[in-house]
Amino acid sequence: MGEDAPFDSGWKLALSAFFSEILQLLFPAVYQLIDWDAPVVFRNTELPRIVPEAQTGKRHVDHLAEVRLRDGRHGAVMIHTEVQTQPELMFDRRMFIYYYRLYDYYKTENIVSLAILADPDAGWRPHMYQNELAGCQLTFTFPVAKLLDLDEEALKQHPSPVALVIRAHLQALRRRGHPELLMREKIALVRELRERGYTHEQIIDLYKAVDFIMALPKEYEELVQQVIHEAEQQSEWPLTSLEKFAIERGVLQGIEQGIEQGIEQGLQQGLQQGLQQGLQQGLLMVLETRFGAVPAEIEAKISTLHDPNLLRALYQLALYSESLDAFANQLPSLGTPSAQDEPS
């Protein structure tokens, strides 16, 4: 896995758990437009077939949500949020690619593209894609939130759980290469979780995101776990679930690394069938690790899926689904596009 893989996993969790809070803190103007009493539908599993990875390069942290606006005039609105943890030369072009492919797939102009720039380069600030030839001109702009611009002291006082996730990210950027300092920062944030008055669910989701973002070498992570055990003895804080997640995370990261290596080998050898089988087996391993025995009907359904991009999307879904039933409920809609896939 790449150096930014922990950041990617942490932000994927954060976007799913704290979508409204992220918009409220980082894109308040967009947040105010949305009717939060209406259902929010996450459509992340549709992204691979809308924008195949082969057309946009390596994997990225993308999130797609269907919302309704407060004015009630626009119908369904698709919000695409991208978290970029490293500067990328053609990032503005990629944001445009996502926009026009969403436009083409859903047959709607109701699309909002947002970029969270979580990179360490203060001077890198893409916000516009332009192209001009023979009198034809295109200009595409998109709202941007640069995490380096945020005041960490203000974030410490902010009640939003997203403020804590951003602090974890900024500290991880600042402490790269210094695991002992990062460990101290991580312990401090873990201790903050029980002082902030967060709900049980928020604590679990926050811990998962922070744990990935502030990933540590094994020997330092063991010291963090000691702090967790001490806190468990002193309070009713939901640490049993955190400990379970820590175990899952270690197993799943090992599986993910093995899958990545197998994919690279398969691509180098040109063995498409082997690549598909490896992804299918890895997906089943994740489900078994998290939820126990996988029902035969789910295993049979997975065996019929051959698109590597779709299998990758399911792999991510398996990592973050709350239950096996929640994962299984997504399977019927992941075959071929149908009318029910499009927003109404």
Side-chain angles (χ1 to χ4, degrees):
M1 292 185 292
E3 185 179 10
D4 292 313
F7 284 165
D8 294 350
S9 297
W11 277 103
K12 286 174 183 175
L13 282 164
L15 280 165
S16 295
F18 304 113
F19 176 65
S20 65
E21 292 91 340
I22 286 175
L23 293 194
Q24 185 176 25
L25 184 60
L26 298 181
F27 303 98
V30 177
Y31 175 86
Q32 291 295 330
L33 296 174
I34 297 173
D35 178 5
W36 294 106
D37 291 328
V40 176
V41 181
F42 293 154
R43 294 185 173 272
N44 299 321
T45 54
E46 297 175 15
L47 279 170
R49 67 175 180 236
I50 299 172
V51 187
E53 291 174 10
Q55 299 181 21
T56 57
K58 66 178 183 178
R59 288 185 301 166
H60 303 278
V61 183
D62 298 299
H63 188 271
L64 185 62
E66 177 186 330
V67 303
R68 305 279 170 163
L69 301 189
R70 295 170 65 184
D71 63 16
R73 294 181 301 171
H74 292 81
V77 175
M78 310 305 296
I79 297 184
H80 167 234
T81 308
E82 171 94 9
V83 181
Q84 185 67 19
T85 58
Q86 285 293 327
E88 180 181 315
L89 182 61
M90 300 296 289
F91 178 76
D92 51 354
R93 178 178 179 271
R94 181 157 60 80
M95 289 293 291
F96 173 66
I97 288 175
Y98 270 76
Y99 183 90
Y100 82 67
R101 290 202 179 277
L102 289 168
Y103 170 87
D104 183 60
Y105 185 83
Y106 289 114
K107 312 301 182 189
T108 180
E109 296 178 343
N110 297 339
I111 301 166
V112 177
S113 297
L114 307 174
I116 299 174
L117 303 182
D119 63 286
D121 185 351
W124 187 67
R125 297 172 180 272
H127 68 285
M128 179 188 302
Y129 174 73
Q130 289 183 304
N131 189 41
E132 183 176 3
L133 180 64
C136 296
Q137 184 176 19
L138 168 71
T139 300
F140 171 70
T141 60
F142 48 93
V144 167
K146 185 77 170 182
L147 296 191
L148 288 180
D149 290 345
L150 301 179
D151 184 342
E152 288 194 63
E153 289 303 316
L155 289 172
K156 288 181 181 179
Q157 305 303 320
H158 203 290
S160 172
V162 176
L164 192 142
V165 174
I166 294 172
R167 287 171 55 202
H169 184 92
L170 293 176
Q171 290 167 7
L173 285 179
R174 188 169 57 249
R175 303 303 189 188
R176 270 187 172 177
H178 301 281
E180 69 285 351
L181 298 178
L182 182 59
M183 179 193 68
R184 294 175 188 174
E185 301 279 9
K186 184 171 184 176
I187 289 173
L189 285 182
V190 169
R191 284 174 172 160
E192 269 192 49
L193 288 177
R194 60 176 175 171
E195 300 170 0
R196 288 278 183 163
Y198 295 130
T199 66
H200 179 287
E201 184 178 0
Q202 286 177 322
I203 289 175
I204 297 300
D205 289 332
L206 277 171
Y207 178 85
K208 289 180 178 182
V210 169
D211 192 48
F212 273 121
I213 289 172
M214 305 182 82
L216 289 164
K218 182 179 179 181
E219 60 271 22
Y220 291 98
E221 194 59 52
E222 289 175 351
L223 296 175
V224 175
Q225 294 305 313
Q226 289 179 15
V227 173
I228 289 178
H229 285 300
E230 291 173 4
E232 184 179 27
Q233 295 172 1
Q234 298 171 8
S235 70
E236 296 181 356
W237 200 36
L239 295 177
T240 302
S241 297
L242 299 186
E243 183 178 1
K244 178 177 181 292
F245 169 73
I247 294 171
E248 289 179 355
R249 179 206 57 200
V251 175
L252 295 176
Q253 285 179 330
I255 292 173
E256 185 172 25
Q257 186 173 6
I259 291 175
E260 292 292 337
Q261 292 173 352
I263 290 172
E264 292 299 324
Q265 293 173 2
L267 289 173
Q268 291 172 5
Q269 297 171 11
L271 301 179
Q272 182 71 8
Q273 183 177 0
L275 172 60
Q276 295 166 359
Q277 292 176 349
L279 285 167
Q280 291 169 348
Q281 292 171 3
L283 176 57
L284 290 171
M285 288 176 65
V286 171
L287 293 173
E288 290 173 0
T289 299
R290 296 202 63 205
F291 308 117
V294 178
E297 58 270 23
I298 294 180
E299 186 171 351
K301 177 65 177 178
I302 290 173
S303 70
T304 66
L305 304 176
H306 304 295
D307 180 358
N309 294 319
L310 178 57
L311 288 167
R312 278 181 179 271
L314 286 173
Y315 174 75
Q316 294 297 326
L317 182 66
L319 284 175
Y320 308 127
S321 292
E322 295 182 357
S323 66
L324 186 58
D325 286 342
F327 173 84
N329 288 338
Q330 295 289 329
L331 282 175
S333 64
L334 293 177
T336 56
S338 64
Q340 67 181 14
D341 288 326
E342 299 183 7
S344 56

